[in-house]
Amino acid sequence: MVSDRDIERAAGILKAGGLVAFPTETVYGLGADASSADAVRKIFAAKNRPADHPVIVHVADASQLADWVITVPESAKKLGRALWPGPLTIILQRAAGVPDVVTGGQDTVAVRVPSHPVAQRLLRAFGGGIAAPSANRFGRISATTAAHVRKELGDAVDIVLDGGAADVGIESTIVDLSGTQPALLRPGAITRERLETVLDAAVLTVSHNAPRAPGTLAGHYAPQTPLVLIEAEDFERQVARLLEQQKQVAALARRIHRPADADVVWIAAPRDAEHYAHELYATVRTLDEAGCDVILVEAPPPAAEWTAVRDRLTRAATGSLAPENG
């Protein structure tokens, strides 16, 4: 339970240039005053985040969008009316006063209105925009509980507001409205089909002119343990092959039962996409802490409702196998 006193203290920390971790409906964010370049730089230091990687500005309601962008086009108004508060980030041309550190030096800014009640209370108490990427080390598994934040960032955060486990469990959908045609830069709980319905227009899935956006690097959301994404028809064969090589295997499977006599750390994933997404990061953290040589993940089906989950798993696999990640 986050008290009014907790909210007041957190708002005061933000106004003083400090860092506050807080829950959103997607994941936990590591927040700073978005109008203060010095405060936002503390986020980058705490996360070891590259300086050219933009962060999302969180605001209390759609009326505040105009404080951060040059103009609010009709497309943004449509999405705001239909989907905010909620897990949607909109990219538009930035206003003149937005610090470069927020935008990664680009002429665009990413803004969203979160729906989590604690996030809403904090934003209204603070009164301005809060710059907040996910509250974890850069490129690593996103935090979906306050305990994840404390374990990973420790004393780098001035206060952690514990709002329970995040409802959605994966990051917001990002749509770019800064160009001539809407473009989906990061899939999330709000699908491309839903965006197209609201906009009554096609939404690109690839845009070569799109700005840099949070969470869109090839390697991201990664555990320390190498994670390998295996298609369903090859999954049990790959488990058996690694066990024959005397490897310690952790598995995230869509089937309930593990192979007979297989000495595997085995977690059966939820069958539907919504619950799978909700459990994803917490489950991968559990498997990462099992001390195994590899995490095998049975790939979900290539259906539209699984797009966001497959995106996160693909990036986690790439990130976990990168040389700098061990």
Side-chain angles (χ1 to χ4, degrees):
M1 179 69 178
V2 177
S3 68
D4 290 343
R5 184 175 180 180
D6 294 331
I7 294 292
E8 290 173 7
R9 181 185 169 208
I13 288 169
L14 290 171
K15 291 173 183 176
L19 298 182
V20 174
F22 63 98
T24 77
E25 72 278 19
T26 57
V27 298
Y28 272 68
L30 180 60
D33 179 357
S35 67
S36 169
D38 288 341
V40 177
R41 288 190 189 99
K42 293 180 182 178
I43 295 175
F44 285 75
K47 285 176 61 73
N48 194 27
R49 185 182 181 90
D52 65 348
H53 207 59
V55 294
I56 296 170
V57 177
H58 295 68
V59 295
D61 59 64
S63 68
Q64 292 179 282
L65 181 59
D67 296 337
W68 299 92
V69 305
I70 295 176
T71 59
V72 181
E74 184 58 32
S75 57
K77 293 176 183 177
K78 285 182 178 179
L79 291 178
R81 286 192 296 266
L83 301 173
W84 276 350
L88 175 69
T89 295
I90 297 175
I91 293 179
L92 290 166
Q93 294 293 320
R94 62 184 271 195
V98 180
D100 283 346
V101 67
V102 170
T103 69
Q106 301 177 108
D107 60 3
T108 55
V109 65
V111 184
R112 91 174 184 98
V113 179
S115 63
H116 195 289
V118 173
Q120 278 289 320
R121 289 166 61 198
L122 177 62
L123 283 160
R124 294 185 186 282
F126 176 58
I130 301 176
S134 56
N136 52 274
R137 300 292 179 186
F138 182 74
R140 292 300 175 191
I141 308 168
S142 297
T144 55
T145 69
H148 294 161
V149 178
R150 294 188 184 103
K151 184 172 184 179
E152 189 150 346
L153 296 179
D155 293 340
V157 187
D158 295 304
I159 186 174
V160 179
L161 298 176
D162 189 347
D167 292 332
V168 176
I170 58 174
E171 299 78 8
S172 61
T173 300
I174 299 179
V175 61
D176 176 26
L177 299 181
S178 67
T180 57
Q181 187 172 353
L184 178 65
L185 303 191
R186 182 174 70 186
I190 295 173
T191 64
R192 180 172 64 87
E193 292 76 14
R194 177 66 173 136
L195 294 173
E196 290 181 331
T197 297
V198 173
L199 293 172
D200 192 25
V203 174
L204 300 174
T205 54
V206 177
S207 175
H208 299 296
N209 297 318
R212 292 188 305 277
T216 56
L217 296 177
H220 218 85
Y221 317 115
Q224 296 282 353
T225 308
L227 184 151
V228 182
L229 193 57
I230 306 293
E231 294 301 328
E233 60 270 20
D234 293 328
F235 188 71
E236 289 193 14
R237 182 165 62 250
Q238 290 298 328
V239 171
R241 182 181 67 83
L242 287 168
L243 290 175
E244 288 175 359
Q245 297 173 5
Q246 305 300 309
K247 299 291 187 181
Q248 293 181 302
V249 177
L252 176 55
R254 297 191 69 244
R255 58 204 73 194
I256 298 174
H257 301 294
R258 68 182 183 182
D261 302 323
D263 185 15
V264 179
V265 178
W266 186 276
I267 294 180
R271 300 295 296 173
D272 66 284
E274 181 178 351
H275 288 94
Y276 193 114
H278 179 268
E279 299 294 328
L280 176 59
Y281 291 141
T283 300
V284 173
R285 281 178 180 271
T286 297
L287 294 173
D288 196 24
E289 293 168 358
C292 294
D293 297 308
V294 64
I295 299 170
L296 293 187
V297 178
E298 180 181 354
E305 64 267 26
W306 289 93
T307 300
V309 167
R310 286 183 70 99
D311 172 83
R312 301 312 190 273
L313 288 171
T314 300
R315 296 180 195 276
T318 300
S320 72
L321 296 174
E324 63 270 21
N325 293 342

